[in-house]
């Protein structure tokens, strides 16, 4: 750790021409935050495709339980039974890996990794992250973790199958399900590496936001994206170590024979030696991470969309302080609600009611955020770019998914709803789809800064509408299926008389899922095609205020060829009355905009004149 | 970031607050370690409250190891003060003594485990209370080993004249981390004493 170095030299020299790196140092072992962001993005897209494919396979099983799927044999091999059916244990593996991949590898690493890395230095006015080296380590730890997790998909005994929440004893005993053998070991190794990667990344994000802001970039002038990334990193720093502890004890139980989580287990009539453990303990530890984790996934998406909504409404964000405040409040509350995932675990009902109260309080800042979005959109000069549409899509999912959270948060109602498709519908809307839309929003919006070209708008619209409609077609029916009592993670419902009334709805959901997934091909095509063939971008195509748009079309190493711009105003001076343009970027001083200044802003200029000094040369070279 | 820049122009934006980035990162790292142990000690309490919890004597050696690590914090501080006065030989001696104390501490912890094992308390097979104790002690030792590696790195840089009164950052970080590890053990020890009857 002590070897991490900071290479930042201010001043105009040698930043405008690229450093003479070879292929390896430029594209592979890069310490440049923009390259690392792209590495995260591509890895994230790769994982999203894998995770999506897995879900389509198990949706086939759920929608068409009687179909012969032996045509999948070339892909799945022995996991297709002789009758042409999906192996039931492999079904569990698919669900588990889908959850793990989507939550951690796509929406945590893919989302935070891409946008925190890309935007933090660019939006706060820094040449790079606090430690480029640690940043590189972070990506490579993630890469290694990805490799291990990927390998686990192909092993003989199958990948982990105990659900993404890996509850013991299921996850601890290979006798329970074959995926709890080597597959689970690899899962734990991969997640340990993943946590290391997240912590390295998080330390960097926090250190950068706090220490490396450009002149004038006070916390009250930070774009909401940065606030969101910053709080996300703080949450991660406090919660991932807890998952590490939980996993460590699980590793001891699995490989050393301790009994932290295991007790009184009989397999085939024979008692296991483990005595005195508590599986509920694992749930506490897991959800202490698990609930903050859902906000780790969501907050960056909220930050990204706030920025995009303000830019494309050509209006100042409504209630900047309320937005920051509610994110802060959400971040704090996210640590005290974890037991709402455990209402039916047999915990003390009084404790349950405390957690119920705390959980329902979260609805308040969430609602504040929704109103902020809506009031920002209200009577704005809306520009419906694809990014804007995805941002609005997020708001829609956040509302429809958040409402069901209020049902689930009631410990009494949760007795009926827990572990049904209602929960699946809830979190796929509020977390999965909302964050996914936040990520898409970010990609469409910052693509020009990443690659210097524009993505195709028309394809973007088609992608948006298909995905938006698709998400609702997939997840809305699940509410009904859940209320009807369908439990999640069941291989098939055909054997239960009570549970065959919704077969047609399940079929509908599966078809919708396949269509939605296929629609992503449009995005993939648009993305890769535009990298090389897209229309050339200008430096500030969306007429946005934040600092990244003051860089060259494709920022080089060090981001700004000359001095780093200084910041004079907040990032949301859109359509300011009196101003000629409908946007005033953050680096424009008030003395240049007398026509639109407010009285207190004019005060500042007056002081400036009284002092009578015009130029201050700042020597910012840091002593090493 | 020792630069000072006094601005005459009010509208000239203020330099934002900033700290030494590596020291700052070290503090963040220590927070993650705190969270790991906070999780484990909370798990300990939660599990203990469920009953079926074996109570046993803590090995006597933990008192000695506590003394060792407390003294090592003092010698670490001594190294730092010596570096401030550019007394490099003293720095080397102090770092070496600190490292040796660290090794002795590790040995004492190991001895503690052995005493427990001789009394019949094993990591596996007894009550979870024993497993918890061993995980807490063991995980702390793992961190202490990382601390000793940092000590050795500082020692090498002292030999290379990279530690002196004008260049104290590295030694300061080493000291912070070492004090932290000592404090962490003292926390764990008090925690174990309080929760052991
Ligand atoms: C209005 C605010 C919210 C409330 C009151 C709420 C409440 C709940 C409750 C009580 C459960 C447990 C249901 C059960 O398992 O029986 C749950 C599950 C879940 N929630 Fe929320 N939620 C809210 C918002 C969110 C947000 C914003 C996210 C993500 C960004 C989220 C993600 C999840 C996830 C992932 C699960 C299921 C985890 C699993 O069992 O696999 N929720 N929610
Ligand atoms: Cu939750």
């Amino acid at each position: 750790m002590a070897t991490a170095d900071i290479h930042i030299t201010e001043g105009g020299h040698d930043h405008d021409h690229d450093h003479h790196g070879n292929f390896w140092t430029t594209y592979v072992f890069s310490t440049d935050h923009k390259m690392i962001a792209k590495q995260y993005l591509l890895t994230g897209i790769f994982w999203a495709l894998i995770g999506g494919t897995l879900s389509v396979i198990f949706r086939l099983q759920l929608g068409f339980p009687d179909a012969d799927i032996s045509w999948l044999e070339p892909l799945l091999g022995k996991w297709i039974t002789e009758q042409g059916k999906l192996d039931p244990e492999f079904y569990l593996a698919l669900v588990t890996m889908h959850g793990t991949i989507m939550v951690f590898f796509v929406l945590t690493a893919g989302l935070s990794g891409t946008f925190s890395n890309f935007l933090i230095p660019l939006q706060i006015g820094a040449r790079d992250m606090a430690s480029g080296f640690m940043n590189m380590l972070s990506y490579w730890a993630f890469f290694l973790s990805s490799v291990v997790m990927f390998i686990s998909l192909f092993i003989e005994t199958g990948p982990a199958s105990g659900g993404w929440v890996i509850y013991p004893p299921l996850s601890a005993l290979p006798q329970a399900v074959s995926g709890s053998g080597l597959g689970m070991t690899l899962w734990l190794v991969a997640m340990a590496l993943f946590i290391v990667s997240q912590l390295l990344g998080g330390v960097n994000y926090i250190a950068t936001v706090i220490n490396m802001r450009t002149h004038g970039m006070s916390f009250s002038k930070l774009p909401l994206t940065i606030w969101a990334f910053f709080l996300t990193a703080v949450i991660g720093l406090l919660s991932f170590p807890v998952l590490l502890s939980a996993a460590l004890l699980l590793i001891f139980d699995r490989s050393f024979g301790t009994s932290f989580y295991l007790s009184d287990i009989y397999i085939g009539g024979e008692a296991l030696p483990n005595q005195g453990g508590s599986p509920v303990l694992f749930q506490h530890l897991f959800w202490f991470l698990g609930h903050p984790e859902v906000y780790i996934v969501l907050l960056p998406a909220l930050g990204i969309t706030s920025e995009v909504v303000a830019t494309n409404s050509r209006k100042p964000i409504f209630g900047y302080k309320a937005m920051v405040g509610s994110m802060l409040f959400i971040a704090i509350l996210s640590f005290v609600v974890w037991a709402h995932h455990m209402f039916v675990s047999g915990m003390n009902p009084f404790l349950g009611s405390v957690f119920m109260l705390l959980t329902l309080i979260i609805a308040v800042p969430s609602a504040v955020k929704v109103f902020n979005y809506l009031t920002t959109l209200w009577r704005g000069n809306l520009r419906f770019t694809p990014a804007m549409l995805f941002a609005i899509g997020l708001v829609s999912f956040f509302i429809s998914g958040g409402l069901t959270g209020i049902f689930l948060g009631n410990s009494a109602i949760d007795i009926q709803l827990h572990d049904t498709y209602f929960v699946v519908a809830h979190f796929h809307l509020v977390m999965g789809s909302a964050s996914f839309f936040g990520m898409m929003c970010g990609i469409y919006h910052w693509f020009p800064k990443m690659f210097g070209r524009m993505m195709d708008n028309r394809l973007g619209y088609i992608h948006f509408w298909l995905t938006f409609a698709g998400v609702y077609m997939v997840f809305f029916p699940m509410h009904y299926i859940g209320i009807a009592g369908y439990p999640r993670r069941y291989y098939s419902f055909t054997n239960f008389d009570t549970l065959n009334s919704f077969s047609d709805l399940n079929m509908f959901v599966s078809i919708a899922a396949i269509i939605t997934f296929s629609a992503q091909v449009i995005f993939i095509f648009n993305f890769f095609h535009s990298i090389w063939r897209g229309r050339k971008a200008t430096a500030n195509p969306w007429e946005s205020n934040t600092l990244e748009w003051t860089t060259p079309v494709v920022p080089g190493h060090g981001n700004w060829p000359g001095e780093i711009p200084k910041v004079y105003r907040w990032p949301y001076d859109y359509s300011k009355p009196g101003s000629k343009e409908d946007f005033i970027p953050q680096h424009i001083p008030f003395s240049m905009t007398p026509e639109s200044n407010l009285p207190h802003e004019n005060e500042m200029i007056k002081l400036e004149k009284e002092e009578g000094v015009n130029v201050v040369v700042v020597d910012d070279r840091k002593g090493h | 970031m020792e630069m000072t820049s006094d601005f005459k122009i009010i509208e000239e934006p203020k330099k934002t607050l900033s700290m030494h980035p590596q020291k700052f990162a070290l503090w963040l790292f220590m927070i993650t370690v705190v969270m790991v142990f906070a999780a484990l000690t909370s798990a300990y309490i939660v599990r203990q409250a469920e009953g079926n919890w074996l109570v046993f004597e803590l090995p006597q050696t933990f008192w000695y190891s506590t003394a060792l690590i407390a003294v090592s914090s003092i010698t670490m501080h001594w190294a730092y003060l010596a570096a401030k006065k550019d007394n490099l030989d003293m720095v080397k001696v102090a770092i070496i003594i600190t490292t040796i104390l660290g090794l002795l501490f590790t040995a004492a912890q190991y001895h503690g485990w052995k005493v427990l094992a001789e009394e019949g308390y094993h990591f596996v097979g007894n009550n979870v209370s024993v497993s918890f104790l061993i995980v807490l002690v063991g995980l702390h030792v793992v961190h202490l080993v990382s601390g000793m590696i940092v000590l050795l790195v500082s020692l090498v840089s002292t030999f290379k004249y990279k530690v002196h009164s004008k260049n104290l950052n590295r030694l300061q970080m080493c000291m912070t981390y070492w004090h932290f590890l000592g404090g962490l053990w003292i926390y764990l020890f008090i925690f174990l004493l309080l929760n052991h009857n």
Side-chain angles (χ1 to χ4, degrees), chain A residues 164-165 287 294-295 298 340-341 343 359-360 362-363 366 398 402 405-406 408-409 414 417-419 423 426-427 430-431 488-489:
Chain A
W164 78 278
V165 297
W287 285 114
V294 307
Y295 283 100
L298 186 67
H340 64 215
H341 297 274
F343 284 143
T359 299
L360 294 182
I362 282 212
S366 308
F398 191 51
I406 299 176
L408 294 169
D414 192 52
L417 295 176
H418 178 66
D419 260 351
V423 178
H426 160 67
F427 71 78
V430 76
M431 177 175 83
R488 60 197 281 213
R489 300 190 177 123

Side-chain angles (χ1 to χ4, degrees), chain A residues 103 164-165 167 286-287 290-291 293-299 302 330 337-344 356 358-364 366-367 398 401-411 414-415 417-420 422-424 426-432 434-435 488-489:
Chain A
V103 171
W164 78 278
V165 297
Y167 285 175
F286 180 85
W287 285 114
H291 186 82
E293 168 65 21
V294 307
Y295 283 100
I296 291 175
V297 165
L298 186 67
L299 278 180
L302 292 179
I330 287 177
V337 299
W338 76 90
H340 64 215
H341 297 274
M342 304 164 56
F343 284 143
V344 298
M356 175 170 108
L358 290 166
T359 299
L360 294 182
I361 292 177
I362 282 212
V364 176
S366 308
F398 191 51
L403 281 177
T404 51
I406 299 176
F407 293 71
L408 294 169
N410 283 280
S411 54
D414 192 52
I415 297 172
L417 295 176
H418 178 66
D419 260 351
T420 65
F422 193 87
V423 178
V424 179
H426 160 67
F427 71 78
H428 275 92
L429 284 178
V430 76
M431 177 175 83
S435 302
R488 60 197 281 213
R489 300 190 177 123

Side-chain angles (χ1 to χ4, degrees), chain A residues 4 213 216 276 590 608 620, chain B residues 3 11 14 16 19 22 47:
Chain A
R213 284 164 291 137
F590 289 115
E608 172 185 344
D620 216 358
Chain B
M3 58 144 283
E11 205 201 350
K14 281 206 217 62
T16 50
M19 283 160 256
Q22 290 170 20
R47 175 58 195 80

Side-chain angles (χ1 to χ4, degrees), chain A residues 232-294:
Chain A
T232 304
V234 172
I235 299 177
L237 203 74
L238 296 177
S239 63
F240 271 115
V242 178
L243 181 63
L244 197 61
S245 301
L248 187 72
L249 298 187
L250 185 58
I251 290 172
F252 285 134
D253 274 7
R254 287 168 49 81
S255 310
F256 295 82
T258 54
S259 314
F260 289 106
Y261 304 131
L262 304 175
S263 189
D264 303 308
I265 296 169
Y266 295 83
I267 291 182
E270 241 177 275
L272 293 189
N274 308 71
Q275 282 301 323
S278 161
V280 175
L281 179 63
F282 178 85
Q283 297 196 16
H284 278 297
L285 289 174
F286 180 85
W287 285 114
F288 189 85
L289 158 95
H291 186 82
E293 168 65 21
V294 307

Side-chain angles (χ1 to χ4, degrees), chain A residues 198-221:
Chain A
Q198 287 306 301
L199 294 178
L200 284 169
V203 164
N204 237 325
Y205 305 150
I206 298 173
T208 309
V209 172
I210 291 200
N211 297 316
M212 302 185 55
R213 284 164 291 137
T214 183
H215 291 235
M217 183 61 94
S218 60
F219 270 94
S220 57
K221 293 199 185 83

Side-chain angles (χ1 to χ4, degrees), chain A residues 170-238:
Chain A
L170 192 51
S171 61
L173 304 170
Q175 303 95 310
V177 54
S178 75
S180 291
L182 181 61
M184 192 64 217
T185 307
L186 293 178
W187 193 98
L188 287 166
V189 172
M191 283 310 294
L193 286 165
F194 184 87
I195 293 171
V196 169
S197 148
Q198 287 306 301
L199 294 178
L200 284 169
V203 164
N204 237 325
Y205 305 150
I206 298 173
T208 309
V209 172
I210 291 200
N211 297 316
M212 302 185 55
R213 284 164 291 137
T214 183
H215 291 235
M217 183 61 94
S218 60
F219 270 94
S220 57
K221 293 199 185 83
L222 279 184
L224 286 174
T225 29
I226 303 300
W227 269 108
F229 299 149
F230 175 69
L231 291 173
T232 304
V234 172
I235 299 177
L237 203 74
L238 296 177

